Amino acid sequence: MLKLKSSGRGTQFSLVRGLSETLQNLVWAGSWPGRVLNQIPAAIRVRLIEHELTLSESEAPRPAQPLRLAFASDLHIGPLTPPRLLDNAFRLLAAAAPDVLVLGGDYVFLEVSKAMARELEARVAAVPARTKVAVLGNHDLWTHNEVIEQALERAGCRVLINDAVRLPAPHDAFAIVGIDEPWTGRADGARAFAATDAPVKIAVSHAPEGLPFVEGRGAKLLLCGHTHGGQVALPRGPVVVHGPLGRRWPSGLHRLGEMHLFVSRGLGIVDVPFRAYAPSDVSLFTLR
């Protein structure tokens, strides 16, 4: 079926994007690339990236215990992502037993189906985090985004669209602030940060392009995905990354004044069925 416009609330869905997705639906029929990659050990490997960040007492009240925050982005459930890759990723997340699970968007690739929604729900539900929050990505907004939101909610995850949630004690000094997708959605930093008065704010935006909506609003950490670390890279760095801020910070942890910026390479695959020098990752932050 020819797709010429977004089937969700996302903007910036071009004719070229529509023709590409229509062609890929035909070429990747039966999800054969994901099934092939499922048999390749390197293609299903996931890195667990761990960071410890310490806040001084002058910045915030010291919690009774460190906050363990897990972050995963860009699952891209669909024809190109091998299921065993996601099995390995969510096994790492479950074993980490975080206090909070933060999800950075792009949960599917191409049109969401009932089976994809059920898989997303089951994977997120299996992580034993007391609090689960999520933002949406551009691919989520180009399909039936309400189906994705409902699956996340059934898994116990609160979807933040320019909104915030304060964590329960003993981590109630912290709040997670979720910015709507900065390119295809309607990002509103003022509205999102107005939703909480917690002294320590951790922001999440699907892409680094969310930075202008976060800067100057008191966030100590901004979590992003979207870039895939280029997905296809050379040893010296990514070949193509969309967006000027994504090109500037394609992956990793960066210090921007009083705030840290973390960009995940994400997990899944889009458009071309392979990754090179851009290994899939999930992250665990210990905030002291």
Side-chain angles (χ1 to χ4, degrees), residues 98-119:
D99 301 302
V100 57
L101 172 66
V102 179
L103 299 172
D106 272 5
Y107 306 104
V108 302
F109 177 50
L110 305 179
E111 285 296 310
V112 64
S113 65
K114 291 182 179 179
M116 293 160 74
R118 287 193 298 268
E119 179 179 346

Side-chain angles (χ1 to χ4, degrees), residues 2-19:
L2 185 63
K3 181 177 180 179
L4 297 179
K5 64 178 183 178
S6 169
S7 50
R9 66 176 177 87
T11 61
Q12 308 298 324
F13 190 88
S14 66
L15 176 62
V16 171
R17 183 74 229 175
L19 293 174

Side-chain angles (χ1 to χ4, degrees), residues 245-262:
L245 299 184
R247 286 190 288 274
R248 185 173 181 182
W249 299 295
S251 64
L253 183 66
H254 310 272
R255 185 70 183 260
L256 308 180
E258 294 299 313
M259 183 178 73
H260 290 86
L261 166 68
F262 178 74

Side-chain angles (χ1 to χ4, degrees), residues 22-283:
T22 299
L23 178 61
Q24 290 192 68
N25 266 318
L26 296 173
V27 174
W28 312 136
S31 300
W32 64 266
R35 290 189 284 110
V36 171
L37 291 173
N38 235 16
Q39 310 307 315
I40 302 174
I44 61 172
R45 190 173 300 131
V46 181
R47 298 173 60 196
L48 174 65
I49 299 174
E50 298 189 57
H51 289 289
E52 290 195 12
L53 300 179
T54 301
L55 300 177
S56 72
E57 291 184 358
S58 62
E59 291 175 318
R62 184 176 295 276
Q65 60 191 54
L67 173 67
R68 291 167 55 81
L69 182 152
F71 180 60
S73 189
D74 298 272
L75 280 61
H76 288 300
I77 297 170
L80 303 186
T81 301
R84 290 175 63 193
L85 172 76
L86 298 180
D87 291 344
N88 292 336
F90 277 84
R91 190 176 298 115
L92 288 172
L93 291 170
D99 301 302
V100 57
L101 172 66
V102 179
L103 299 172
D106 272 5
Y107 306 104
V108 302
F109 177 50
L110 305 179
E111 285 296 310
V112 64
S113 65
K114 291 182 179 179
M116 293 160 74
R118 287 193 298 268
E119 179 179 346
L120 175 61
E121 177 186 351
R123 292 191 183 281
V124 175
V127 180
R130 186 177 181 189
T131 303
K132 302 176 187 179
V133 297
V135 297
L136 301 179
N138 53 296
H139 285 275
D140 305 319
L141 299 186
W142 285 338
T143 185
H144 297 280
N145 54 275
E146 72 282 355
V147 174
I148 295 170
E149 292 175 44
Q150 290 164 9
L152 290 166
E153 289 165 358
R154 288 194 301 270
C157 195
R158 179 168 171 178
V159 180
L160 298 178
I161 302 172
N162 299 319
D163 200 359
V165 59
R166 192 161 184 165
L167 300 185
H171 303 112
D172 48 336
F174 295 88
I176 310 297
V177 180
I179 307 297
D180 197 19
E181 213 288 320
W183 177 39
T184 62
R186 298 176 179 85
D188 188 335
R191 177 182 173 186
F193 280 87
T196 182
D197 59 357
V200 186
K201 301 173 182 68
I202 300 165
V204 55
S205 171
H206 174 60
E209 272 59 39
L211 178 62
F213 301 95
V214 173
E215 281 186 308
R217 301 187 187 276
K220 297 299 180 185
L221 173 64
L222 171 59
L223 302 168
C224 303
H226 180 67
T227 67
H228 294 209
Q231 186 170 306
V232 178
L234 300 174
R236 65 184 182 183
V239 176
V240 176
V241 178
H242 298 293
L245 299 184
R247 286 190 288 274
R248 185 173 181 182
W249 299 295
S251 64
L253 183 66
H254 310 272
R255 185 70 183 260
L256 308 180
E258 294 299 313
M259 183 178 73
H260 290 86
L261 166 68
F262 178 74
V263 184
S264 169
R265 291 187 178 93
L267 290 168
I269 301 173
V270 298
D271 294 334
V272 292
F274 61 92
R275 279 180 174 259
Y277 293 102
S280 300
D281 65 49
V282 293
S283 308

